[in-house]
Amino acid sequence: GGGGGGGEGWLPFAAETWGPAVRRKRALQEGQVTGAVGTRTVFAELPGHAVAQREALEAVVGELEMSAGAQGFGSRQGRAGARSLEVSLPDGTSVSWEGDAPEDRSGNAIGLGPLSVAALCVEEDLALMAQLESAGPYCLVAAHVCTSFGGLSDRMGRGLTALHDPVPGYRVDMGAPMQALFERMRPDGPAFWRTNWGIQYDSDPDPAEGDRRPSQEELLERFTRDGLGDSAWLRVEFQNLRKLPQSGAVLFTIRTYIEPLGSCQLEDGAAAINLAKNIRDLPPGMMAYKGLQEEGVREAILRYLDGGSREA
């Protein structure tokens, strides 16, 4: 799904989820910086997009101060003067961008780049898309990503269509319209948003869920033993897109929500009815992408969603 939307609350603050999400980000970031064994890349960039990264930081901090300043977000000039920024956070810590010369005397990069600083303020993953050549496709030029996708280093410099190749039908149905949308967007125009959903079988926010997925037999056994409402999770990504005025780059913010499937039965069960309809409407190629490739698992989930909504 997707659509236009006003600029209201594009980085909503939720105290109960902000703390755990930001602590996890800090740990992943620290792992990348220290080169810990088995750590994954959460930040990557192409050279030449410092202006876009700075704009992204300014946009994020400006929004947080305006919409959640009462929660403890604030900013001031950093130690490096006018081209630096220190952001205070709701948990009493702060994160700093020390300007555009983050190198020590031996030429080693130190400190955090502006996009990383922005990402360590929010729950969302941040990705910057820019045209590498005039009228060319929008390509991934910088990203700080902890929940929405993996393989970051391999994705840098790829255009929208190549990035979405794992999505069945994207190249044919969505590639050209999305490129046109990015070209048409205006910095002072409406923001655009879209959502994406899938089913996963643990509550881990790490995007490589498929790598640790149990077999169909194990899942069906677990559904019977523990109940399906506590054995499968609905994963929803909420993506917000805005064009930055100076660089013309597009900033993606991606927030991941993971809820036990049982939460679909709350209130009047409308969410269960809606999810069951969405699953039944999926083209066959999308089933695996959504985590529903095995017929037995899919049928069990549909029975659960149908039954729960009738009981409500």
Side-chain angles (χ1 to χ4, degrees), residues 110-111 120 177 191 206 263 286 301:
I110 54 171
L120 292 174
D206 190 294
S263 62
M286 283 297 269
I301 286 174

Side-chain angles (χ1 to χ4, degrees), residues 248-264:
V250 173
L251 174 64
F252 263 78
T253 66
I254 310 158
R255 185 182 292 204
T256 303
Y257 299 88
I258 299 173
E259 295 279 344
L261 208 56
S263 62
C264 291

Side-chain angles (χ1 to χ4, degrees), residues 206-275:
D206 190 294
E209 197 272 337
D211 297 344
R212 49 179 197 271
R213 180 193 175 97
S215 68
Q216 171 163 274
E217 284 170 11
E218 288 174 85
L219 284 174
L220 293 175
E221 202 174 285
R222 192 198 297 172
F223 295 169
T224 306
R225 186 182 66 237
D226 302 334
L228 214 150
D230 294 317
S231 306
W233 282 259
L234 177 64
R235 178 189 184 100
V236 178
E237 287 180 2
F238 185 82
Q239 305 173 2
N240 202 296
L241 293 73
R242 52 198 50 242
K243 188 169 269 189
L244 302 172
Q246 199 181 337
S247 63
V250 173
L251 174 64
F252 263 78
T253 66
I254 310 158
R255 185 182 292 204
T256 303
Y257 299 88
I258 299 173
E259 295 279 344
L261 208 56
S263 62
C264 291
Q265 307 291 17
L266 299 175
E267 295 171 22
D268 59 358
I273 295 167
N274 192 30
L275 181 57

Side-chain angles (χ1 to χ4, degrees), residues 27-65:
L28 288 167
Q29 167 83 33
E30 182 67 19
Q32 180 175 335
V33 170
T34 58
V37 177
T39 192
R40 65 193 181 87
T41 300
V42 295
F43 173 72
E45 63 183 333
L46 296 181
H49 299 278
V51 170
Q53 284 200 47
R54 283 205 304 275
E55 281 192 289
L57 174 59
E58 286 160 11
V60 166
V61 171
E63 168 68 17
L64 290 173
E65 286 186 305

Side-chain angles (χ1 to χ4, degrees), residues 2-6 190-194:
F192 288 86
W193 57 268
R194 62 188 298 273

